[in-house]
Amino acid sequence: MTTATDQQQHLAGPLSTAVAQLCVRLQSQVSARTAAGFREVLRRLSAPLQVAVAGRIKSGKSTLVNALIGRRVAPTDIGECTRLVTRFQYGTVDRVEVIFNDGRKQVLPFDAGGMIPATLDVDFDEVSHLEAYLTNAVLRDLTVIDTPGLGSLDAASVARTELLLGAAKPEETESNELDDTSRNAVAGAEAVLYVVTQGVRADDQQALAAFTAATASRDAGPVNAIAVLNKADTIAPESVSGADGDVWKAASLLAEKQALTLKPRVADVLPVIGLLAESAESGGFTSADADALRQLAGLDEMTWEMMLVSADIFTTWECDVPSGTRVRLLEKLDLYGIGHAVNALREEPELTAGALRRKLLDASGLAGVRARLDAVFRARADGIKAAAALASVTALAQASGDPGERQRVHDAIEVLLAKPEAHALRLLEALTLVTSGAVAMPEDLAEEVLRVGGSADIGEQLGMKGRPVNELVAYSLERAGWWRSFASFGATPAQSRVAHVVHRAYFLVWQRLRGQT
Ligand SMILES: Nc1nc2c(ncn2[C@@H]2O[C@H](COP(=O)(O)OP(=O)(O)OP(=O)(O)O)[C@@H](O)[C@H]2O)c(=O)[nH]1
Ligand SMILES: [Mg+2]
């Protein structure tokens, strides 16, 4: 039996603790089936935040997963395992398990390169998903879920992916204890990293919508999303006006455009070069590679320019660096990375392999993605997890046929939410309603909800970072008043509920600011 104190040791913060306590308290007042659901909610509450990496097929999801974990472990490119959901979580020993549809497990040996093998020795149709336990420290606070490309898969794979996102069976729960409704109620990743490439296409949008539908509308709680524009290195800068021939500038401009298309599901889109990040972060880039690049840096300008024209010319051009070595460089860095490294070596011939690796890492944009992950997910893990758990609790109660039980759970949640310290949960809920499109809002108001609910920093919430406190005080009071009148006049009932929450958020900000003056 799990107790509140057991759980508290791993909970993300006070909000998660409050929801965990609610679950424990209600356990004895609900049916066995609902209680089983609550146990699953408790288990997920005390687990690290679950971030799914989603996007179109071959957008570079697995490459990015490897970069984030800091180890080349997820198969990329080809092989049937790229069609499976893989959950990367923290473990004390590196281990991969195949989980079958009937709940059976089988340990899967890593391949010679320390990666998850690209193909399986078992009947693929019977496989549910893979669980990878790794000792990498990043996974202590984030469980990363690699998914197959949602855009172009057959319906069965999509269904399997959707079902599996975050819905892995807990070890201690018997498989028949949770029925499908309950499992769905607690399923769904808590946060999503959307991977897009140049030009958000119709099926990209479809994939993102399908993903949101599969997670958010299932009442499984708020899906917090950030997006990256991957393969920034493959963008032709001449195709983007205002880029001045600069790849990174072109990528940033494109990313800004895509953010407009993907709003309000994601706040903004960050450019990244997943391949460079993976090679620099996972030990893929070696000192032999640095030596080869050094040799290439010694070529005369004409030859070098010629070689950089295309991958074919790069590998076949007559030159002292063996063709196989060049193919390897291409696989690890692609032309842009190779060009970048050679430029760096020409500017600073004394660069060590380690320093060159860091330059490549800087050029990948991974630091920006990490910072955003921290700001959006890790710093808010408590609220995100608590809100997701609360939504699951509500869904579980709704699914129970007993009106008395439903009422008891509902009342307990109301008591919890009435506390000022739980207002953050209401705000997250409102944020989800708006970002998922469940409550339609005029664009400027949706943006404001996103801003107020998307940060714990008052300056950012008000969109007035670095301004003097008296200005913040005046502004928060003004917006509080505005949202209150919007809640009463000129709003649909659904908008009105959101407006009340935003009003209170501004009011609480105002109170806190006044305490400072
Ligand atoms: N040039 C370039 N290639 C990349 C980048 N990121 C990934 N790739 C390549 O794109 C191909 C697909 O990458 P994956 O990581 O397997 O993509 P995925 O989205 O996981 O693919 P599926 O799981 O099959 O949908 C691989 O050959 C990668 O090397 C990048 O930033 N730049
Ligand atoms: Mg993949």
Side-chain angles (χ1 to χ4, degrees):
M1 164 82 204
T2 331
T3 66
T5 19
D6 281 343
Q7 298 282 346
Q8 270 162 23
Q9 294 166 4
H10 317 285
L11 290 165
L15 295 171
S16 299
T17 307
V19 177
Q21 280 166 345
L22 175 123
C23 285
V24 172
R25 245 192 345 265
L26 285 172
Q27 287 259 348
S28 58
Q29 303 173 38
V30 293
S31 68
R33 207 179 73 164
T34 309
F38 283 3
R39 276 199 293 284
E40 173 69 5
V41 172
L42 278 168
R43 187 191 66 84
R44 288 201 45 163
L45 257 176
S46 54
L49 190 73
Q50 313 226 6
V51 181
V53 180
R56 279 180 92 246
I57 198 149
K58 297 285 169 256
S59 52
K61 299 175 296 293
S62 303
T63 305
L64 215 50
V65 164
N66 290 335
L68 287 171
I69 298 176
R71 172 169 164 183
R72 197 159 146 64
V73 62
T76 55
D77 230 1
I78 43 166
E80 57 189 359
C81 284
T82 69
R83 285 171 31 223
L84 286 175
V85 168
T86 307
R87 292 163 38 90
F88 294 94
Q89 49 197 304
Y90 184 74
T92 46
V93 193
D94 288 344
R95 178 166 54 103
V96 188
E97 285 174 356
V98 185
I99 313 293
F100 294 92
N101 291 325
D102 60 7
R104 254 181 322 125
K105 294 174 188 175
Q106 184 181 315
V107 172
L108 188 68
F110 289 94
D111 73 8
M115 292 184 66
I116 293 175
T119 50
L120 294 181
D121 242 356
V122 296
D123 187 353
F124 193 75
D125 288 336
E126 285 179 20
V127 176
S128 153
H129 68 287
L130 303 180
E131 295 273 358
Y133 300 86
L134 301 174
T135 55
N136 299 60
V138 198
L139 297 174
R140 280 181 192 269
D141 355 273
L142 283 186
T143 289
V144 181
I145 306 168
D146 190 11
T147 71
L150 282 175
S152 326
L153 286 174
D154 54 292
S157 304
V158 171
R160 199 165 47 172
T161 304
E162 289 173 348
L163 192 76
L164 274 164
L165 284 170
K169 284 180 188 142
E171 308 220 350
E172 58 287 332
T173 309
E174 281 180 37
S175 54
N176 60 358
E177 227 185 319
L178 265 181
D179 60 28
D180 276 352
T181 318
S182 312
R183 191 173 299 287
N184 284 351
V186 294
E190 293 153 325
V192 189
L193 178 66
Y194 282 138
V195 183
V196 295
T197 49
Q198 181 170 19
V200 175
R201 290 174 235 182
D203 61 344
D204 236 331
Q205 294 230 37
Q206 246 166 38
L208 305 193
F211 189 89
T212 316
T215 49
S217 73
R218 230 183 225 167
D219 289 334
V223 169
N224 297 269
I226 67 176
V228 294
L229 164 58
N230 193 30
K231 306 196 181 185
D233 59 322
T234 61
I235 294 167
E238 345 38 284
S239 66
V240 182
S241 70
D244 302 329
D246 182 73
V247 168
W248 198 256
K249 201 161 166 195
S252 306
L253 287 168
L254 266 183
E256 267 172 42
K257 265 212 212 122
Q258 291 180 331
L260 293 177
T261 319
L262 296 175
K263 248 182 2 187
R265 282 186 222 286
V266 295
D268 54 6
V269 181
L270 294 173
V272 71
I273 305 174
L275 185 64
L276 273 192
E278 183 196 52
S279 297
E281 273 299 74
S282 66
F285 181 74
T286 62
S287 54
D289 296 328
D291 291 341
L293 288 163
R294 213 180 294 282
Q295 211 176 334
L296 291 172
L299 291 174
D300 66 274
E301 192 60 36
M302 286 271 283
T303 310
W304 183 237
E305 268 184 22
M306 194 60 217
M307 283 179 76
L308 275 188
V309 166
S310 78
D312 283 344
I313 301 181
F314 179 77
T315 45
T316 52
W317 198 264
E318 197 74 27
C319 129
D320 284 347
V321 178
S323 174
T325 305
R326 284 182 265 161
V327 170
R328 198 184 64 211
L329 283 177
L330 211 50
E331 276 169 9
K332 291 182 186 179
L333 308 175
D334 214 340
L335 279 182
Y336 176 84
I338 293 169
H340 190 84
V342 164
N343 280 346
L345 284 167
R346 287 185 166 173
E347 274 170 30
E348 285 179 74
E350 305 304 311
L351 273 183
T352 61
L356 190 56
R357 184 193 70 81
R358 274 191 298 281
K359 285 219 183 277
L360 291 172
L361 182 62
D362 288 346
S364 75
L366 187 69
V369 178
R370 281 236 170 87
R372 186 61 51 87
L373 275 170
D374 274 347
V376 178
F377 295 161
R378 223 194 297 229
R380 292 165 58 215
D382 184 31
I384 294 174
K385 291 196 74 77
L390 214 48
S392 296
V393 168
T394 309
L396 284 166
Q398 227 112 55
S400 106
D402 177 355
E405 176 173 310
R406 217 159 24 214
Q407 193 60 43
R408 275 194 298 282
V409 174
H410 179 80
D411 291 349
I413 292 178
E414 282 308 306
V415 169
L416 175 79
L417 286 178
K419 297 177 182 164
E421 58 274 23
H423 183 260
L425 287 177
R426 280 228 199 266
L427 191 55
L428 269 171
E429 196 188 348
L431 183 73
T432 309
L433 289 173
V434 173
T435 53
S436 67
V439 175
M441 280 273 177
E443 200 173 311
D444 53 332
L445 295 185
E447 240 167 69
E448 189 173 347
V449 175
L450 220 70
R451 200 180 60 219
V452 174
S455 170
D457 177 274
I458 289 185
E460 272 177 22
Q461 281 183 295
L462 301 182
M464 298 173 74
K465 239 181 137 49
R467 308 297 301 223
V469 176
N470 60 339
E471 278 182 31
L472 303 187
V473 171
Y475 185 72
S476 52
L477 191 60
E478 187 225 308
R479 293 315 291 162
W482 190 92
W483 280 92
R484 184 165 51 192
S485 63
F486 181 64
S488 324
F489 316 104
T492 65
Q495 287 177 338
S496 175
R497 275 193 300 279
V498 170
H500 273 298
V501 175
V502 179
H503 151 72
R504 188 155 169 76
Y506 275 117
F507 176 75
L508 290 171
V509 163
W510 176 74
Q511 262 191 339
R512 267 173 60 199
L513 286 168
R514 288 236 317 185
Q516 289 173 19
T517 54

